[in-house]
Amino acid sequence: MIKILKSYSVLSSTVANIIKRQLKKHPLSKLGLPTGDTPLGMYSELVKEELDWSHAITFNLDVYLMNVDHPESYQSYMRKNLFDRTNIYPDHTHFPFRPTSAFEDKITESMGIDLCILGIGTNGHIAFNEPGTSFKSRTRVVDLSEQTIQDNSRFFGSVDDTPKQAITMGLGTIMESKKIILIANGDHKLNILNVAMNGEVTEDVPASILQTHNNVEVYYCD
Ligand code: F6R
C-alpha cells in the first residue's frame, strides 16, 4: 500500500502531477489541502507551471486558533505557498471556521471533496485529529496534544508561543473524500506510517482509518 519514492523531489512532483491531472481533467475539482513541511515541495512544483485554478475550490484541513494574519497561520502559509501564486479566486478557498457545522455545510453544498491530500503527524494524526479521536468525528475545535505542540513549536520559536487549539476537519469528514493521498517524508515518519497502514485499524492511530477507504494512495520517501 505504501509507495516508496527515491527522493523528496520525486515525491513532490509525483503528487503535484496527480493534482495537475485532476485540475486539467476536472477544472471544477474540490481539493482538500494540508499545510506543514511535507507538502511544501508539492506546492512549489504546482506553481512552476501555469495551471488554471479559476474553477477550483479548496478546503484546508485545519487551522490554528490564532490571528489569521500571523505569518505562521495556515491562512498565511497557503497564501504564500499556493494561492497568491495561482489564479484561484480567494472566495473559492475555504478554511475551517466556526460554527464548524457551517464549514461542513460548505463542503456538502459543493458536492464533497474530490481529492484530499494529507500529511501524517508522528503520533499518527491526520489533519489535527489526535490519537483517540472518533472515526466518526466531524469538523470541530480541538486541543492539540503535547506531542503536536512540541512538533509545531519549531515554527513558533518556543512551546509557549505555539497555538494550543485548532479547528480541524473530522475523520468522518475526511473519509468522505472521493480520493485520498497521504504523503510522508523522513525516517521519523516511517514507523508511524507502517503502523497506520499495516497495523490494526484503531482510533489510537487516527491515520489507520485510511485502510478502510477504497481510494487511497500513500507516498513515502526517507
Ligand atoms: C496540517 C496537517 C497536519 C500535518 C502533520 C504533518 O495541515 O493536517 O496533520 O500534515 O502534522 O506535518 P509535517 O508535514 O510538517 O510533518
Side-chain angles (χ1 to χ4, degrees):
M1 193 176 186
I2 305 175
K3 294 181 186 145
I4 310 228
L5 299 177
K6 66 173 194 281
S7 66
Y8 179 65
S9 68
V10 174
L11 173 96
S12 301
S13 57
T14 300
V15 183
N17 286 337
I18 294 171
I19 298 176
K20 287 181 197 172
R21 278 200 299 276
Q22 173 78 30
L23 283 181
K24 284 177 186 165
K25 204 165 164 202
H26 304 288
L28 298 161
S29 289
K30 281 86 60 183
L31 304 176
L33 296 176
T35 57
D37 278 339
T38 317
L40 282 172
M42 172 190 94
Y43 290 131
S44 59
E45 278 300 318
L46 274 176
V47 299
K48 271 187 195 160
E49 185 188 310
E50 210 164 298
L51 188 63
D52 185 11
W53 287 78
S54 62
H55 299 287
I57 295 182
T58 63
F59 293 96
N60 266 81
L61 296 168
D62 45 16
V63 284
Y64 292 122
L65 271 182
M66 66 183 295
N67 171 7
V68 300
D69 295 322
H70 187 288
E72 292 300 339
S73 76
Y74 284 175
Q75 290 87 343
S76 300
Y77 171 108
M78 290 305 297
R79 279 197 300 271
K80 176 169 154 215
N81 294 300
L82 186 71
F83 298 153
D84 286 355
R85 301 162 77 182
T86 68
N87 65 344
I88 197 163
Y89 287 106
D91 58 356
H92 287 186
T93 67
H94 304 290
F95 293 87
F97 60 87
R98 290 185 280 192
T100 54
S101 58
F103 177 73
E104 290 269 338
D105 290 345
K106 278 228 173 285
I107 299 178
T108 311
E109 280 157 21
S110 78
M111 308 295 286
I113 294 172
D114 299 301
L115 173 62
C116 185
I117 314 294
L118 301 175
I120 183 170
T122 53
N123 61 1
H125 74 220
I126 48 177
F128 276 138
N129 295 289
E130 301 284 17
T133 299
S134 162
F135 282 161
K136 296 193 181 119
S137 54
R138 311 301 306 185
T139 304
R140 67 208 184 285
V141 176
V142 290
D143 293 327
L144 300 177
S145 72
E146 287 303 320
Q147 170 88 61
T148 300
I149 294 168
Q150 188 69 46
D151 287 352
N152 291 342
S153 63
R154 68 191 190 280
F155 299 113
F156 293 91
S158 75
V159 166
D160 277 355
D161 291 328
T162 305
K164 311 289 184 297
Q165 283 193 308
I167 312 179
T168 184
M169 270 189 211
L171 294 171
T173 322
I174 291 169
M175 286 293 283
E176 285 165 9
S177 307
K178 294 170 190 95
K179 181 183 173 88
I180 297 178
I181 295 181
L182 176 68
I183 54 175
N185 155 232
D187 292 342
H188 64 301
K189 296 281 179 79
L190 188 54
N191 181 49
I192 190 63
L193 198 59
N194 199 22
V195 168
M197 293 305 133
N198 300 316
E200 189 194 342
V201 176
T202 162
E203 290 178 350
D204 293 339
V205 183
S208 67
I209 194 180
L210 299 175
Q211 291 184 43
T212 68
H213 193 284
N214 62 9
N215 194 358
V216 177
E217 290 170 21
V218 181
Y219 293 98
Y220 170 80
C221 69
D222 60 16

